[in-house]
Amino acid sequence: MVSLSEPGSRSAVHGVSKAALDALIATHGEGAIPAQMRYDALARFEELPVRQVIRGGRTWRQDLSKLDLSEIDVLDTLYADAVSGGLTARGVIVTDFDTAKAQFPEEFARAFGAAVDTRDDKFASLALAFQHGGTFVWIPDGVQAEEPIEICYEPSGAAFPYTLVAVGSGASATILERITSDERASFLCGIGEIVLGEHASLRYTIDQSAGPASRAILTRRAALGKDATLTLALAELGGEHVVERIRVVQREHGGNVEITAFFFANGDQHVDLETEVVHAAGATRSGTLVRSAGTGRGQGRYLGNIKILKAAHGADATLRDDALLLSQEAHVDSIPALEIAANDVKAYHGATVGAISEDEIFYAQTRGLSRPDAERMIALGFFEPAIARFPGEALRERLRAALVAKLDL
Amino acid sequence: MAETGLRIKGLRASVEGNEILKGIDLVVEPGSVHALMGPNGSGKSTLAFSLTGHPSYLVTAGSASLDGEDLLALAPDKRAKAGLFLSFQYPSAIPGVAVGNFLRSARQALHPGDLPPAKFRKMIYEKLDVLEMDASFLPRYVNDGFSGGEKKRLEMLQLAMLAPKYAILDETDSGLDVDALEAVGATVNALRASEEGERTGYLIITHYPRILKYIKADKVHIMLDGAIVTSGGPELADVIERDGYDHIREEVAGGVA
């Protein structure tokens, strides 16, 4: 499937106002999201405050100072491409989000909104209000979709894609989502929704390699059925200012979540990453591994949260995040937290923030590596435990190459 | 032609303003084995770090040269390129860097382009055999989660792969069981018997004489309080084994008095 949204007639209305939403609906129709739902979402976006979290006496606020939405054109086009890998014969649906509701109303209705609630979220509300484009993936019960499904987004200008993935009971799938863009300024505000049935298994990999003038605010939510498995890997490489928030809720017994994420803020890049795993049922397991680093004037924040609710007997959660600072001007905040309301659980978290150790550099130097080579090798090694959890040597090599390019800038 | 040997003259060094080395004179000739013995705190490791250029160790006087090249003027990696190797007492972990890749980078840095990948692999497997290690070592991250014995074996694997002109073994024997100690001895002796390593000179720093049962020393030096107080043949190690360092200390004190 290739869908190129029709070239938008450049609208006279800029920004994210009601007039802009009127223009979007007048041009494209309401699409998969009813008009009233869009207007309600826009109203929430305007009312809700910028997210703020207070941890241990420190205030963690989304820094949106660089974000000026007054000039964006909501009628801009999004290039989206999804490759289903010949799976459609087995009932797998991979299609454009806007047409999914019309062509597959039953499947769409079952999946849409099962994991995402935009009511309390400013930017998820914005994404819902102006949604245009995106992808719908449906894996029927019992289907093992071995071939990877690839989703590619390339915004030019403003884009509001909705990515909805549903994996049925006992089904499995592998999805690779790639975000790229050229040198021009772009704004991507999207929602990713993942719904897993009983015993479903999904490996979802995200390679965010947007261009250097790209801004992105992405809200991702996943809901797991009983004994479902979600393996999520996120490489946050591109963009000028990126906010990515991931929340996984385990409401049913026996689910298993593995989250791996890394970012490397270089130049003037600014990355805000948030992961949250909610254990709301017994015998649920999660493991979160995050590596974040900054060089140049790069700014990064990682906010990691594990919530174990009272009903989550026997839950097992780990959160490990390490941050590396490679320059004086870089800044990385790493704020992990565990909230535990149940007694009989296993929970661990560990975090470190620091520069490369002089002892490691010296050790490598005594083996003949110059100081810059030693630092480079150690910095790459810092990311390796995260990279090792990405699927496929070709992808891992691409990620390593992207990190090397950032180190060498 | 410049004088060969690892030549240390009147070397003084301090750490955080405290003078630890109080004038060391020592020459390790190519192909020879010197043992430097002394109790804890006598300054043995300080000598090793001063020679290899650790940034926390400040050389305040004296000189050190390797086959005529002034070591003290060089950055640590240039000292390694000159041919100096240190087997660390406490090797650093480098998480995320696989042993195999680390060895390849090091070999490439010290002997550029001399081994095509196939030969490099063959060499690694030969050295692993000598150390009674298997290939599962290679994808592991350097010293990350290694036991004490594994760390020392990796130091020996690097020694064997890098074939330096001069090797300092800093308490490589400490904390090792007999099997591991034999493996260390086998590595050094195999390297000494090889074409690449027959002219390597050794400075073996140790607290206990037992490693010298596996690696025969040509000369033994005793270090107390930052100075070499006496030197002799291998029989000096037996004296230490029998009488301990206190005997030497008394003898030295008596000599002065």
Side-chain angles (χ1 to χ4, degrees):
Chain A
M1 178 208 64
V2 175
S3 92
L4 188 60
S5 315
E6 49 279 42
S9 45
R10 300 292 300 180
S11 78
V13 193
H14 283 169
V16 291
S17 60
K18 182 172 175 299
L21 185 51
D22 292 341
L24 180 78
I25 293 171
T27 310
H28 298 299
E30 61 180 22
I33 313 286
Q36 193 54 51
M37 195 185 277
R38 292 176 182 272
Y39 285 111
D40 291 348
L42 179 59
R44 286 198 303 276
F45 166 71
E46 286 165 348
E47 283 161 19
L48 285 166
V50 169
R51 187 169 152 71
Q52 182 171 305
V53 175
I54 297 168
R55 286 274 171 79
R58 294 167 69 197
T59 302
W60 185 91
R61 173 181 294 162
Q62 252 174 25
D63 178 2
L64 299 168
S65 54
K66 293 174 194 164
L67 192 67
D68 174 11
L69 299 178
S70 65
E71 284 304 306
I72 70 162
D73 183 345
V74 299
L75 295 184
D76 276 338
T77 58
L78 167 70
Y79 174 76
D81 187 8
V83 179
S84 60
L87 291 162
T88 44
R90 295 156 69 193
V92 171
I93 300 167
V94 180
T95 187
D96 175 73
F97 186 86
D98 295 315
T99 53
K101 191 182 178 185
Q103 286 182 22
F104 307 97
E106 199 181 313
E107 290 88 349
F108 184 88
R110 278 174 60 190
F112 178 69
V116 171
D117 181 350
T118 63
R119 277 174 303 186
D120 60 349
D121 194 291
K122 188 176 178 72
F123 285 93
S125 294
L126 179 67
L128 188 70
F130 290 97
Q131 179 279 326
H132 179 55
T135 308
F136 177 63
V137 175
W138 175 268
I139 314 292
D141 290 353
V143 170
Q144 313 302 311
E146 279 101 8
E147 300 84 353
I149 294 165
E150 291 184 27
I151 298 171
C152 185
Y153 292 127
E154 190 176 344
S156 53
F160 300 86
Y162 199 121
T163 310
L164 175 55
V165 172
V167 182
S169 295
S172 69
T174 299
I175 293 180
L176 174 61
E177 179 183 321
R178 188 142 199 254
I179 299 169
T180 59
S181 63
D182 59 23
E183 302 289 310
R184 287 171 294 176
S186 65
F187 175 66
L188 183 70
C189 181
I191 292 177
E193 180 165 31
I194 294 170
V195 185
L196 302 187
E198 257 185 57
H199 289 281
S201 171
L202 175 66
R203 180 183 260 284
Y204 199 108
T205 304
I206 300 155
D207 169 8
Q208 187 277 103
S209 295
S214 172
R215 294 160 296 157
I217 301 182
L218 301 165
T219 306
R220 299 183 190 271
R221 300 285 183 261
L224 271 68
K226 185 169 174 290
D227 297 322
T229 300
L230 174 64
T231 308
L232 189 64
L234 171 68
E236 206 64 78
L237 290 163
E240 175 190 30
H241 184 182
V242 175
V243 179
E244 178 118 20
R245 289 172 304 128
I246 296 163
R247 184 165 193 252
V248 180
V249 180
Q250 306 205 71
R251 247 181 255 295
E252 308 292 337
H253 188 274
N256 194 351
V257 175
E258 180 186 284
I259 297 175
T260 306
F262 71 86
F263 67 78
F264 184 13
N266 67 313
D268 287 312
Q269 202 180 12
H270 185 136
V271 181
D272 274 348
L273 175 66
E274 183 175 338
T275 68
E276 180 173 55
V277 180
V278 180
H279 293 255
T284 46
R285 213 208 123 263
S286 74
T288 303
L289 175 77
V290 175
R291 289 284 191 272
S292 48
T295 189
R297 290 171 305 280
Q299 304 285 308
R301 286 195 192 85
Y302 170 63
L303 186 62
N305 206 5
I306 303 283
K307 265 189 193 154
I308 301 179
L309 306 187
K310 208 159 183 186
H313 305 289
D316 182 342
T318 63
L319 169 60
R320 174 86 222 181
D321 74 285
D322 296 283
L324 181 67
L325 291 169
L326 293 171
S327 76
Q328 293 289 329
E329 290 173 283
H331 185 83
V332 178
D333 263 336
S334 189
I335 311 166
L338 293 180
E339 296 172 36
I340 303 173
N343 293 323
D344 50 345
V345 300
K346 278 202 281 187
Y348 162 85
H349 83 82
T352 63
V353 180
I356 293 179
S357 117
E358 282 297 324
D359 282 334
E360 283 177 54
I361 293 172
F362 176 67
Y363 185 71
Q365 280 184 295
T366 64
R367 273 49 175 157
L369 279 77
S370 67
R371 190 179 175 93
D373 284 349
E375 287 177 347
R376 194 165 179 267
M377 181 183 74
I378 295 163
L380 277 178
F382 169 78
F383 291 103
E384 191 56 32
I387 289 178
R389 288 165 55 155
F390 280 71
E393 189 53 27
L395 173 61
R396 290 192 290 270
E397 277 302 311
R398 195 166 80 213
L399 299 176
R400 290 184 192 112
L403 292 170
V404 168
K406 282 169 171 272
L407 278 169
D408 288 350
L409 272 178
Chain B
M1 189 180 158
E3 275 184 311
T4 58
L6 176 61
R7 296 179 171 269
I8 303 156
K9 277 186 201 150
L11 195 72
R12 290 176 173 268
S14 56
V15 182
E16 289 167 359
N18 300 317
E19 184 168 74
I20 309 289
L21 298 185
K22 296 162 182 165
I24 301 289
D25 294 288
L26 185 64
V27 177
V28 179
E29 307 84 2
S32 70
V33 177
H34 288 242
L36 180 64
M37 302 184 66
N40 288 332
S42 56
K44 305 186 301 294
S45 290
T46 298
L47 178 62
F49 283 135
S50 300
L51 291 174
T52 46
H54 192 291
S56 302
Y57 294 77
L58 181 67
V59 173
T60 51
S63 68
S65 64
L66 189 154
D67 292 352
E69 193 164 358
D70 177 11
L71 282 179
L72 302 181
L74 302 175
D77 56 306
K78 296 287 183 351
R79 300 185 195 199
K81 284 182 174 130
L84 186 63
F85 176 85
L86 171 62
S87 168
F88 282 63
Q89 182 177 5
Y90 303 110
S92 291
I94 309 184
V97 176
V99 166
N101 292 339
F102 186 66
L103 289 171
R104 197 188 315 271
S105 300
R107 175 82 198 189
Q108 178 64 25
L110 297 179
H111 305 270
D114 77 328
L115 283 182
K119 280 195 176 166
F120 177 81
R121 288 181 69 82
K122 185 168 174 284
M123 183 175 176
I124 271 196
Y125 286 116
E126 283 169 13
K127 310 295 186 191
L128 283 169
D129 270 354
V130 176
L131 277 161
E132 291 168 346
M133 290 158 71
D134 64 68
S136 66
F137 227 66
L138 301 178
R140 291 177 66 189
Y141 298 152
V142 174
N143 290 318
D144 192 23
F146 280 27
S147 70
E150 286 174 331
K151 286 181 183 172
K152 296 300 173 70
R153 283 177 198 260
L154 179 55
E155 294 299 286
M156 289 301 98
L157 181 60
Q158 295 178 62
L159 168 68
M161 291 300 295
L162 301 178
K165 288 180 180 155
Y166 298 91
I168 303 168
L169 273 52
D170 187 7
E171 306 234 4
T172 299
D173 53 333
S174 66
L176 291 189
D177 59 23
V178 172
D179 285 350
L181 206 52
E182 277 177 0
V184 167
T187 297
V188 171
N189 293 325
L191 187 60
R192 297 191 77 203
S194 74
E195 196 184 331
E196 194 174 47
E198 65 180 358
R199 285 184 54 77
T200 299
Y202 291 85
L203 181 61
I204 296 178
I205 292 174
T206 182
H207 186 102
Y208 302 104
R210 62 175 190 157
I211 192 174
L212 304 178
K213 293 186 172 42
Y214 301 92
I215 308 168
K216 295 290 170 219
D218 301 304
K219 273 194 175 164
V220 175
H221 311 273
I222 309 298
M223 191 163 178
L224 291 177
D225 304 325
I228 291 174
V229 293
T230 182
S231 299
E235 70 285 350
L236 192 51
D238 301 329
V239 175
I240 296 296
E241 182 150 55
R242 199 180 59 230
D243 302 333
Y245 291 108
D246 287 345
H247 172 74
I248 301 270
R249 195 185 293 276
E250 282 159 22
E251 223 170 57
V252 171
V256 170

